[in-house]
Amino acid sequence: MKKRNTILLLGITSIIILTSVQVLIIRGIWKQKNEMFSLKYTMGAQEALYFINRRMSTDGFDTVRFVLSKYSEQANRELRMIKDTALLNQKKKEIFEFFSYSLNKEQDLSEMLAKYFELRGLEKKFIYTIVINDLDLITDDTVSIIHSARAKLPARPGIIEKMAAVDYAKSRILVNWFQMEDNYYRLRFDYFIDFSDKQKLILRESAAFLGMSIFSIVVVVIIFIIAYRNLIEEKRLSNLKTDFINNMTHELKTPLSTITVAGKTLEMPQVITNEEKILETARMIGKQSVHLNQLINMILEISMWERSQFELDKKNTDVGDLLNDIVDSFSSGGGSNATINKKYDLNGLKAELDPVYFTTMVNNLLSNAVKYSVNEPVIDIEGFRNENSVIFRVSDNGIGISKTDQKHIFDKFYRAQTGNIHKFKGLGLGLYYVKRIAEAHGGNVSVSSKPGKGSTFTIDIPY
Ligand code: ADP
């Protein structure tokens, strides 16, 4: 148990470690791909700007430059007329918004960039953002600061660029910063692009790796589960074998010790002269030898069955007659204390059966029904025809079988873990025999039972 838990713990720990390592690797790769993506598009955009500049002699802001030039001359004039601070601020805000709006609306750069990206086989669906950093309206003698990003940042040299970079670097890619200037205004702004499909594009690129990694985790988990289940199964079988050897020793010892005691009894002077005592002891020795012989034969037979295919000697048998014989001889033998109700009326139904093995099979069920009962055993035997098969049912009013044990009782050497294992003697082979014999006849056996209420074994044999 301890060993099994250690193995389970080790297995789960290694799976967790493996998964964590994979997650770390995937995160690293994802980050790298993300950076590569940004780099690819930054470089692509830089190239595009260079290309646009050289080929078309524009930076993509010619239209907006014209619009702003006209507007700023007028705005400057109006601004200088306002004396009230509140109104002045209001006007500055208005000017800033106009600049912002025009820059976003009238620029041609985005379209040119998209075309260039398409030409280069890059993704062309992006969102652009223009962020104004500084805007001043100027005349010959005055400078009106409309907007200053720098003014809003802490006045510590060196930190400004860094902070600005942190602000925008998350998912946007900075294509370039621009400066525009004419007689009436001075403007500095950044142009960013952003890909809403970026995660999807990166996912597509890393799909193969992700798939492999998930696949390898799944494979390891499956291998572990299979190995662990095998281990448990082996452990269970080895426990069963140990139990079997213990039970077997116990079973063999009982007749042997009786024979030993009987032998000693025969040597006693008062017995040697008593003919009746000698006969009684000899009969006992004979009975125990038969029992011993039966036990040994059973073991030999089991090992023979394991090695070779089960061979039946099938005969066309009257099923009802055979059942009568079995029940009668059982009642006069080991089952004398049991009430057996014959609930079959097979109307001379004949089936291809091996009468010897069939008898062993039914006998095993009957003797279990007697063995595993605490009160006086009442056993019902049913037999009826069902489409292409004959169904036999042996029900008892015994101790019943738990759900967990029901799964294993037909396994070789399996014995239910009843409190006192030697209270009910056995080797865990009876039901294994029943199953093997039923299967050899092309049929099967099943159980339904409730602890404390009794059990019903059903055998289904085609005819
Ligand atoms: P054995 O009787 O030698 O232990 P079997 O293969 O005949 O081996 O039965 C396997 C186990 O199934 C038994 O140990 C017992 O716990 C349970 N069992 C079998 N038949 C009955 C029954 N009629 N009622 C209750 N338990 C049963």
PDB file of all heavy atoms in Angstrom, residues 368-369 371-372 396 399-401 409 414-416 425-432 455 457, ligand 1:
ATOM      1  N   ASN A 368     -21.595 -23.262  -2.800  1.00  0.00           N
ATOM      2  CA  ASN A 368     -21.371 -21.874  -2.331  1.00  0.00           C
ATOM      3  C   ASN A 368     -22.611 -21.347  -1.626  1.00  0.00           C
ATOM      4  O   ASN A 368     -22.513 -20.678  -0.605  1.00  0.00           O
ATOM      5  CB  ASN A 368     -21.048 -20.956  -3.509  1.00  0.00           C
ATOM      6  CG  ASN A 368     -19.560 -20.967  -3.839  1.00  0.00           C
ATOM      7  OD1 ASN A 368     -18.783 -21.566  -3.110  1.00  0.00           O
ATOM      8  ND2 ASN A 368     -19.187 -20.333  -4.939  1.00  0.00           N
ATOM      9  N   ALA A 369     -23.780 -21.662  -2.201  1.00  0.00           N
ATOM     10  CA  ALA A 369     -25.037 -21.174  -1.613  1.00  0.00           C
ATOM     11  C   ALA A 369     -25.180 -21.696  -0.189  1.00  0.00           C
ATOM     12  O   ALA A 369     -25.649 -20.984   0.704  1.00  0.00           O
ATOM     13  CB  ALA A 369     -26.214 -21.608  -2.468  1.00  0.00           C
ATOM     14  N   LYS A 371     -22.522 -22.833   1.668  1.00  0.00           N
ATOM     15  CA  LYS A 371     -21.365 -22.392   2.446  1.00  0.00           C
ATOM     16  C   LYS A 371     -21.527 -20.943   2.944  1.00  0.00           C
ATOM     17  O   LYS A 371     -21.222 -20.634   4.084  1.00  0.00           O
ATOM     18  CB  LYS A 371     -20.120 -22.506   1.553  1.00  0.00           C
ATOM     19  CG  LYS A 371     -18.825 -22.281   2.282  1.00  0.00           C
ATOM     20  CD  LYS A 371     -17.638 -22.888   1.549  1.00  0.00           C
ATOM     21  CE  LYS A 371     -17.364 -22.230   0.225  1.00  0.00           C
ATOM     22  NZ  LYS A 371     -16.081 -22.635  -0.361  1.00  0.00           N
ATOM     23  N   TYR A 372     -22.009 -20.077   2.058  1.00  0.00           N
ATOM     24  CA  TYR A 372     -22.076 -18.655   2.415  1.00  0.00           C
ATOM     25  C   TYR A 372     -23.456 -18.275   2.938  1.00  0.00           C
ATOM     26  O   TYR A 372     -24.066 -17.323   2.470  1.00  0.00           O
ATOM     27  CB  TYR A 372     -21.669 -17.781   1.233  1.00  0.00           C
ATOM     28  CG  TYR A 372     -20.230 -18.031   0.854  1.00  0.00           C
ATOM     29  CD1 TYR A 372     -19.892 -18.756  -0.277  1.00  0.00           C
ATOM     30  CD2 TYR A 372     -19.209 -17.578   1.687  1.00  0.00           C
ATOM     31  CE1 TYR A 372     -18.573 -19.017  -0.597  1.00  0.00           C
ATOM     32  CE2 TYR A 372     -17.882 -17.843   1.378  1.00  0.00           C
ATOM     33  CZ  TYR A 372     -17.577 -18.558   0.242  1.00  0.00           C
ATOM     34  OH  TYR A 372     -16.273 -18.821  -0.051  1.00  0.00           O
ATOM     35  N   ASP A 396     -29.858 -17.772  -3.531  1.00  0.00           N
ATOM     36  CA  ASP A 396     -29.809 -18.218  -2.119  1.00  0.00           C
ATOM     37  C   ASP A 396     -30.193 -17.080  -1.184  1.00  0.00           C
ATOM     38  O   ASP A 396     -30.365 -15.940  -1.608  1.00  0.00           O
ATOM     39  CB  ASP A 396     -28.406 -18.749  -1.795  1.00  0.00           C
ATOM     40  CG  ASP A 396     -27.340 -17.689  -1.936  1.00  0.00           C
ATOM     41  OD1 ASP A 396     -27.490 -16.611  -1.328  1.00  0.00           O
ATOM     42  OD2 ASP A 396     -26.353 -17.927  -2.673  1.00  0.00           O
ATOM     43  N   ILE A 399     -25.251 -14.677   2.747  1.00  0.00           N
ATOM     44  CA  ILE A 399     -24.696 -13.413   3.263  1.00  0.00           C
ATOM     45  C   ILE A 399     -24.597 -12.322   2.192  1.00  0.00           C
ATOM     46  O   ILE A 399     -24.393 -11.163   2.505  1.00  0.00           O
ATOM     47  CB  ILE A 399     -23.290 -13.638   3.886  1.00  0.00           C
ATOM     48  CG1 ILE A 399     -22.339 -14.260   2.852  1.00  0.00           C
ATOM     49  CG2 ILE A 399     -23.383 -14.516   5.121  1.00  0.00           C
ATOM     50  CD1 ILE A 399     -20.894 -14.251   3.285  1.00  0.00           C
ATOM     51  N   GLY A 400     -24.717 -12.709   0.930  1.00  0.00           N
ATOM     52  CA  GLY A 400     -24.660 -11.719  -0.148  1.00  0.00           C
ATOM     53  C   GLY A 400     -23.223 -11.285  -0.438  1.00  0.00           C
ATOM     54  O   GLY A 400     -22.280 -11.648   0.275  1.00  0.00           O
ATOM     55  N   ILE A 401     -23.063 -10.492  -1.515  1.00  0.00           N
ATOM     56  CA  ILE A 401     -21.717 -10.082  -1.960  1.00  0.00           C
ATOM     57  C   ILE A 401     -21.733  -8.582  -2.227  1.00  0.00           C
ATOM     58  O   ILE A 401     -22.652  -8.076  -2.890  1.00  0.00           O
ATOM     59  CB  ILE A 401     -21.333 -10.829  -3.265  1.00  0.00           C
ATOM     60  CG1 ILE A 401     -21.511 -12.338  -3.071  1.00  0.00           C
ATOM     61  CG2 ILE A 401     -19.917 -10.517  -3.700  1.00  0.00           C
ATOM     62  CD1 ILE A 401     -21.571 -13.121  -4.355  1.00  0.00           C
ATOM     63  N   ILE A 409     -15.269 -11.742  -8.120  1.00  0.00           N
ATOM     64  CA  ILE A 409     -15.466 -13.117  -7.618  1.00  0.00           C
ATOM     65  C   ILE A 409     -15.206 -14.208  -8.651  1.00  0.00           C
ATOM     66  O   ILE A 409     -14.922 -15.335  -8.290  1.00  0.00           O
ATOM     67  CB  ILE A 409     -16.875 -13.327  -6.988  1.00  0.00           C
ATOM     68  CG1 ILE A 409     -17.948 -12.812  -7.924  1.00  0.00           C
ATOM     69  CG2 ILE A 409     -16.976 -12.700  -5.616  1.00  0.00           C
ATOM     70  CD1 ILE A 409     -19.335 -13.188  -7.471  1.00  0.00           C
ATOM     71  N   TYR A 414      -9.723 -15.497  -6.277  1.00  0.00           N
ATOM     72  CA  TYR A 414     -10.315 -14.372  -5.536  1.00  0.00           C
ATOM     73  C   TYR A 414     -11.270 -14.869  -4.461  1.00  0.00           C
ATOM     74  O   TYR A 414     -12.116 -15.711  -4.696  1.00  0.00           O
ATOM     75  CB  TYR A 414     -11.064 -13.418  -6.475  1.00  0.00           C
ATOM     76  CG  TYR A 414     -11.498 -12.160  -5.757  1.00  0.00           C
ATOM     77  CD1 TYR A 414     -10.629 -11.098  -5.611  1.00  0.00           C
ATOM     78  CD2 TYR A 414     -12.769 -12.073  -5.181  1.00  0.00           C
ATOM     79  CE1 TYR A 414     -11.004  -9.957  -4.915  1.00  0.00           C
ATOM     80  CE2 TYR A 414     -13.148 -10.937  -4.484  1.00  0.00           C
ATOM     81  CZ  TYR A 414     -12.263  -9.886  -4.363  1.00  0.00           C
ATOM     82  OH  TYR A 414     -12.637  -8.758  -3.668  1.00  0.00           O
ATOM     83  N   ARG A 415     -11.117 -14.310  -3.260  1.00  0.00           N
ATOM     84  CA  ARG A 415     -12.041 -14.599  -2.163  1.00  0.00           C
ATOM     85  C   ARG A 415     -12.470 -13.268  -1.575  1.00  0.00           C
ATOM     86  O   ARG A 415     -11.645 -12.389  -1.352  1.00  0.00           O
ATOM     87  CB  ARG A 415     -11.355 -15.420  -1.068  1.00  0.00           C
ATOM     88  CG  ARG A 415     -10.691 -16.686  -1.590  1.00  0.00           C
ATOM     89  CD  ARG A 415     -10.584 -17.719  -0.500  1.00  0.00           C
ATOM     90  NE  ARG A 415     -11.904 -18.184  -0.123  1.00  0.00           N
ATOM     91  CZ  ARG A 415     -12.259 -18.474   1.122  1.00  0.00           C
ATOM     92  NH1 ARG A 415     -11.398 -18.340   2.095  1.00  0.00           N
ATOM     93  NH2 ARG A 415     -13.484 -18.885   1.395  1.00  0.00           N
ATOM     94  N   ALA A 416     -13.770 -13.135  -1.343  1.00  0.00           N
ATOM     95  CA  ALA A 416     -14.246 -11.860  -0.788  1.00  0.00           C
ATOM     96  C   ALA A 416     -13.629 -11.673   0.594  1.00  0.00           C
ATOM     97  O   ALA A 416     -13.375 -12.645   1.298  1.00  0.00           O
ATOM     98  CB  ALA A 416     -15.757 -11.887  -0.690  1.00  0.00           C
ATOM     99  N   LYS A 425     -14.410 -21.764   4.456  1.00  0.00           N
ATOM    100  CA  LYS A 425     -13.215 -22.346   3.828  1.00  0.00           C
ATOM    101  C   LYS A 425     -13.318 -22.298   2.310  1.00  0.00           C
ATOM    102  O   LYS A 425     -14.409 -22.417   1.757  1.00  0.00           O
ATOM    103  CB  LYS A 425     -13.084 -23.794   4.258  1.00  0.00           C
ATOM    104  CG  LYS A 425     -12.568 -23.933   5.665  1.00  0.00           C
ATOM    105  CD  LYS A 425     -12.315 -25.390   5.946  1.00  0.00           C
ATOM    106  CE  LYS A 425     -11.955 -25.585   7.398  1.00  0.00           C
ATOM    107  NZ  LYS A 425     -11.975 -26.999   7.739  1.00  0.00           N
ATOM    108  N   GLY A 426     -12.211 -22.170   1.663  1.00  0.00           N
ATOM    109  CA  GLY A 426     -12.256 -22.180   0.209  1.00  0.00           C
ATOM    110  C   GLY A 426     -10.937 -21.749  -0.382  1.00  0.00           C
ATOM    111  O   GLY A 426     -10.050 -21.265   0.323  1.00  0.00           O
ATOM    112  N   LEU A 427     -10.819 -21.936  -1.702  1.00  0.00           N
ATOM    113  CA  LEU A 427      -9.565 -21.603  -2.380  1.00  0.00           C
ATOM    114  C   LEU A 427      -9.738 -20.488  -3.405  1.00  0.00           C
ATOM    115  O   LEU A 427      -8.798 -20.096  -4.082  1.00  0.00           O
ATOM    116  CB  LEU A 427      -9.019 -22.845  -3.098  1.00  0.00           C
ATOM    117  CG  LEU A 427      -8.694 -24.030  -2.189  1.00  0.00           C
ATOM    118  CD1 LEU A 427      -8.338 -25.236  -3.017  1.00  0.00           C
ATOM    119  CD2 LEU A 427      -7.557 -23.674  -1.254  1.00  0.00           C
ATOM    120  N   GLY A 428     -10.949 -20.008  -3.533  1.00  0.00           N
ATOM    121  CA  GLY A 428     -11.201 -18.944  -4.504  1.00  0.00           C
ATOM    122  C   GLY A 428     -11.186 -19.470  -5.936  1.00  0.00           C
ATOM    123  O   GLY A 428     -10.833 -18.748  -6.867  1.00  0.00           O
ATOM    124  N   LEU A 429     -11.544 -20.753  -6.099  1.00  0.00           N
ATOM    125  CA  LEU A 429     -11.507 -21.330  -7.448  1.00  0.00           C
ATOM    126  C   LEU A 429     -12.886 -21.715  -7.987  1.00  0.00           C
ATOM    127  O   LEU A 429     -13.080 -21.827  -9.184  1.00  0.00           O
ATOM    128  CB  LEU A 429     -10.616 -22.572  -7.454  1.00  0.00           C
ATOM    129  CG  LEU A 429      -9.127 -22.309  -7.250  1.00  0.00           C
ATOM    130  CD1 LEU A 429      -8.387 -23.627  -7.069  1.00  0.00           C
ATOM    131  CD2 LEU A 429      -8.546 -21.559  -8.433  1.00  0.00           C
ATOM    132  N   GLY A 430     -13.843 -21.903  -7.048  1.00  0.00           N
ATOM    133  CA  GLY A 430     -15.164 -22.421  -7.440  1.00  0.00           C
ATOM    134  C   GLY A 430     -15.817 -21.613  -8.542  1.00  0.00           C
ATOM    135  O   GLY A 430     -16.208 -22.158  -9.579  1.00  0.00           O
ATOM    136  N   LEU A 431     -15.917 -20.304  -8.342  1.00  0.00           N
ATOM    137  CA  LEU A 431     -16.594 -19.470  -9.340  1.00  0.00           C
ATOM    138  C   LEU A 431     -15.746 -19.287 -10.594  1.00  0.00           C
ATOM    139  O   LEU A 431     -16.270 -19.084 -11.687  1.00  0.00           O
ATOM    140  CB  LEU A 431     -16.957 -18.107  -8.739  1.00  0.00           C
ATOM    141  CG  LEU A 431     -18.068 -18.136  -7.691  1.00  0.00           C
ATOM    142  CD1 LEU A 431     -18.374 -16.737  -7.200  1.00  0.00           C
ATOM    143  CD2 LEU A 431     -19.337 -18.755  -8.272  1.00  0.00           C
ATOM    144  N   TYR A 432     -14.420 -19.369 -10.414  1.00  0.00           N
ATOM    145  CA  TYR A 432     -13.536 -19.306 -11.587  1.00  0.00           C
ATOM    146  C   TYR A 432     -13.849 -20.495 -12.502  1.00  0.00           C
ATOM    147  O   TYR A 432     -13.964 -20.357 -13.720  1.00  0.00           O
ATOM    148  CB  TYR A 432     -12.080 -19.321 -11.116  1.00  0.00           C
ATOM    149  CG  TYR A 432     -11.058 -19.459 -12.212  1.00  0.00           C
ATOM    150  CD1 TYR A 432     -10.859 -18.430 -13.123  1.00  0.00           C
ATOM    151  CD2 TYR A 432     -10.301 -20.623 -12.343  1.00  0.00           C
ATOM    152  CE1 TYR A 432      -9.923 -18.552 -14.131  1.00  0.00           C
ATOM    153  CE2 TYR A 432      -9.367 -20.755 -13.348  1.00  0.00           C
ATOM    154  CZ  TYR A 432      -9.185 -19.721 -14.246  1.00  0.00           C
ATOM    155  OH  TYR A 432      -8.264 -19.850 -15.237  1.00  0.00           O
ATOM    156  N   SER A 455     -27.836 -13.997  -2.852  1.00  0.00           N
ATOM    157  CA  SER A 455     -27.228 -13.791  -4.176  1.00  0.00           C
ATOM    158  C   SER A 455     -27.948 -14.646  -5.212  1.00  0.00           C
ATOM    159  O   SER A 455     -28.514 -15.683  -4.889  1.00  0.00           O
ATOM    160  CB  SER A 455     -25.762 -14.216  -4.173  1.00  0.00           C
ATOM    161  OG  SER A 455     -25.136 -13.796  -2.997  1.00  0.00           O
ATOM    162  N   PHE A 457     -27.034 -16.274  -9.031  1.00  0.00           N
ATOM    163  CA  PHE A 457     -26.089 -16.483 -10.128  1.00  0.00           C
ATOM    164  C   PHE A 457     -26.879 -16.944 -11.354  1.00  0.00           C
ATOM    165  O   PHE A 457     -27.721 -17.831 -11.234  1.00  0.00           O
ATOM    166  CB  PHE A 457     -25.049 -17.547  -9.747  1.00  0.00           C
ATOM    167  CG  PHE A 457     -24.071 -17.042  -8.731  1.00  0.00           C
ATOM    168  CD1 PHE A 457     -24.347 -17.120  -7.374  1.00  0.00           C
ATOM    169  CD2 PHE A 457     -22.887 -16.453  -9.127  1.00  0.00           C
ATOM    170  CE1 PHE A 457     -23.452 -16.631  -6.443  1.00  0.00           C
ATOM    171  CE2 PHE A 457     -21.976 -15.966  -8.207  1.00  0.00           C
ATOM    172  CZ  PHE A 457     -22.267 -16.049  -6.854  1.00  0.00           C
TER     173      PHE A 457
HETATM  174  P1  ADP B   1     -14.310 -19.910  -2.490  1.00  0.00           P
HETATM  175  O1  ADP B   1     -15.711 -20.251  -2.153  1.00  0.00           O
HETATM  176  O2  ADP B   1     -13.381 -21.068  -2.513  1.00  0.00           O
HETATM  177  O3  ADP B   1     -13.776 -18.768  -1.712  1.00  0.00           O
HETATM  178  P2  ADP B   1     -15.370 -19.136  -5.042  1.00  0.00           P
HETATM  179  O4  ADP B   1     -14.664 -18.833  -6.342  1.00  0.00           O
HETATM  180  O5  ADP B   1     -16.392 -20.199  -5.090  1.00  0.00           O
HETATM  181  O6  ADP B   1     -14.245 -19.395  -3.999  1.00  0.00           O
HETATM  182  O7  ADP B   1     -16.058 -17.813  -4.569  1.00  0.00           O
HETATM  183  C1  ADP B   1     -15.341 -16.610  -4.575  1.00  0.00           C
HETATM  184  C2  ADP B   1     -15.914 -15.689  -3.507  1.00  0.00           C
HETATM  185  O8  ADP B   1     -17.226 -15.297  -3.857  1.00  0.00           O
HETATM  186  C3  ADP B   1     -16.053 -16.336  -2.168  1.00  0.00           C
HETATM  187  O9  ADP B   1     -14.888 -16.153  -1.411  1.00  0.00           O
HETATM  188  C4  ADP B   1     -17.245 -15.666  -1.560  1.00  0.00           C
HETATM  189  O10 ADP B   1     -16.839 -14.558  -0.823  1.00  0.00           O
HETATM  190  C5  ADP B   1     -18.047 -15.195  -2.720  1.00  0.00           C
HETATM  191  N1  ADP B   1     -19.240 -16.019  -2.971  1.00  0.00           N
HETATM  192  C6  ADP B   1     -19.374 -17.000  -3.877  1.00  0.00           C
HETATM  193  N2  ADP B   1     -20.625 -17.519  -3.849  1.00  0.00           N
HETATM  194  C7  ADP B   1     -21.296 -16.834  -2.897  1.00  0.00           C
HETATM  195  C8  ADP B   1     -22.643 -16.879  -2.391  1.00  0.00           C
HETATM  196  N3  ADP B   1     -23.534 -17.756  -2.866  1.00  0.00           N
HETATM  197  N4  ADP B   1     -22.973 -16.013  -1.427  1.00  0.00           N
HETATM  198  C9  ADP B   1     -22.089 -15.119  -0.943  1.00  0.00           C
HETATM  199  N5  ADP B   1     -20.813 -15.030  -1.375  1.00  0.00           N
HETATM  200  C10 ADP B   1     -20.411 -15.865  -2.340  1.00  0.00           C
END
